[in-house]
């Protein structure tokens, strides 16, 4: 039940959010882009509000929702730092991440986003299969 | 108005990540472990989010401007270049190492701070490296 219900509700919420954002503000939701605006643009207020909301909402994990899978054992700082550097640099060079390319980009059938999503899914799957 | 909408969208997006358990790297790594102990639940997340998102773009197609802002600011670039491919490839490797993409990584600051702090600092440093690199090239 939870294996279908929770992801379905989560996915619908994510989809509805991208639609509200698009139709009201005219923009695409891309977390890596919004983070980079918060860090480097002159207009930081709106990106700050979005990221603050994201962290508050995302921390509701286990509060409103039932946790079906345990968190992994804490990984070493070195692993997390290598991962963070690659994600930070890669998403900026590639102009997007799971949200901007994977959800919003595929929704609007952007050829760039379809290619980007295929590429990052492939390298992520290869990385996991090598590390396991 | 912009502020309220932006904050609520951040909140709803975060709740969506939490409900779908994308905030848990174990779930994400299980999804990426296609050749091992595969957990396909994130396919449902992606498919339902994209299906709803498509409705948004159908409505957008019938409107000259958004409901609140004065103009559309959707990316228009269509060219597939080496930056897109290399950047996405690097991102996928980073994602596969930890199970964190940017959104869930940021929520880990609260959900799992002993991991989140290292990931987010590196995420910022990585973004900054690209930012200052491109700025240096422009100058």
């Amino acid at each position: 039940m939870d294996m279908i219900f929770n992801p379905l509700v989560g996915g619908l919420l994510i989809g509805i959010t991208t639609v509200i954002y698009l139709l009201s503000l005219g923009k695409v939701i891309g977390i890596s882009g919004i983070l980079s605006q918060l860090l480097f643009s002159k207009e930081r207020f709106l990106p700050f509000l979005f990221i603050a909301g994201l962290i508050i909402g995302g921390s509701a994990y286990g509060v409103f929702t039932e946790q079906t899978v345990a968190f992994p054992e804490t990984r070493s700082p070195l692993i997390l730092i290598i991962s963070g550097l690659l994600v930070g640099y890669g998403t900026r060079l590639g102009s997007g991440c799971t949200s901007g390319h994977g959800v919003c980009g595929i929704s609007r059938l952007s050829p760039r986003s379809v290619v980007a999503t295929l590429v990052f899914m492939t390298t992520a799957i290869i990385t996991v299969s090598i590390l396991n | 108005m912009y502020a309220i909408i932006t904050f609520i969208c951040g909140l709803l997006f975060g709740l969506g990540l939490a409900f779908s358990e994308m905030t848990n790297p174990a779930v994400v790594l299980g999804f990426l472990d296609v050749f091992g102990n595969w957990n396909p639940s994130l396919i449902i997340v992606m498919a339902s989010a994209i299906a709803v998102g498509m409705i948004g773009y159908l409505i957008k197609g019938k409107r000259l401007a958004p409901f609140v802002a004065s103009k559309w600011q959707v990316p228009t670039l269509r060219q597939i270049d080496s930056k897109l491919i290399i950047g996405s490839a690097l991102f996928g490797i980073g994602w596969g190492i930890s199970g964190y993409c940017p959104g869930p990584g940021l929520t880990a600051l609260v959900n799992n701070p002993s991991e989140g702090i290292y990931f987010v600092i590196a995420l910022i440093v990585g973004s900054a490296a690209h930012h200052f690199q491109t700025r240096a090239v422009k100058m």
Side-chain angles (χ1 to χ4, degrees):
Chain A
M1 171 70 178
D2 282 338
M3 284 297 283
I4 296 182
F5 183 74
N6 283 358
L8 185 64
V9 172
L12 291 176
L13 263 174
I14 291 170
I16 290 166
T17 310
T18 62
V19 173
I20 296 173
Y21 197 76
L22 172 75
L23 294 181
S24 59
L25 305 182
K27 292 185 289 188
V28 165
I29 291 185
I31 309 295
S32 61
I34 294 174
L35 176 68
S36 132
Q37 282 166 19
L38 170 63
L39 296 170
F40 309 118
S41 81
K42 289 199 175 78
E43 285 161 32
R44 295 197 162 124
F45 181 57
L46 292 179
F48 169 78
L49 286 178
F50 188 93
I51 299 289
L54 173 81
I55 292 176
I56 294 168
S59 320
Y61 192 89
V63 180
F64 300 120
T65 66
E66 200 179 332
Q67 184 173 344
T68 59
V69 179
F71 271 107
E73 277 183 46
T74 304
R75 278 79 53 90
S76 80
L78 183 66
I79 295 281
L80 296 161
I81 288 169
I82 293 170
S83 165
L85 289 172
L86 287 166
V87 172
Y89 187 83
T91 52
R92 293 330 303 143
L93 184 65
S95 316
C97 59
T98 343
S99 50
H101 282 314
V103 176
C104 295
I106 292 184
S107 295
R108 62 194 174 87
L109 301 174
S110 152
R112 275 172 60 85
S113 293
V114 173
V115 169
T117 306
L118 288 174
V119 170
F120 68 65
M121 290 297 305
T122 305
T123 57
I125 288 168
I126 293 170
T127 304
V128 168
S129 68
I130 291 172
L131 294 179
N132 284 354
Chain B
M1 192 64 181
Y2 276 65
I4 295 168
I5 294 171
T6 303
F7 179 73
I8 288 176
C9 282
L11 198 64
L12 287 175
F13 199 95
L15 280 173
L17 290 179
F19 257 96
S20 56
E21 292 196 66
M22 274 196 81
T23 45
N24 181 351
V27 173
V28 176
L29 291 174
F31 170 66
L32 295 172
D33 194 11
V34 175
F35 303 111
N37 188 14
W38 192 40
N39 170 2
S41 69
L42 292 192
I43 286 186
I44 301 174
V45 180
M46 292 285 283
S48 50
I50 290 169
V52 176
M54 283 180 165
I55 299 172
Y57 285 96
L58 288 177
I59 300 172
K60 172 186 173 283
K62 297 187 193 307
R63 292 188 56 88
L64 288 173
F67 286 92
V68 177
S70 55
K71 62 176 195 301
W72 298 110
Q73 287 179 280
V74 174
T76 50
L77 213 59
R78 292 182 76 82
Q79 196 191 352
I80 292 159
D81 53 17
S82 59
K83 283 185 198 168
L84 181 81
I85 308 280
I86 296 168
S88 299
L90 294 175
F91 161 48
I93 296 169
W95 191 31
I97 289 174
S98 67
Y100 290 122
C101 52
L106 288 164
T107 67
L109 282 175
V110 176
N111 288 334
N112 202 359
S114 56
E115 289 201 340
I117 188 75
Y118 293 110
F119 179 83
V120 171
I121 289 173
L123 177 72
I124 291 171
V125 171
S127 307
H130 180 260
H131 178 76
F132 292 111
Q133 180 194 6
T134 47
R135 221 176 54 161
V137 169
K138 274 178 200 156
M139 283 196 303

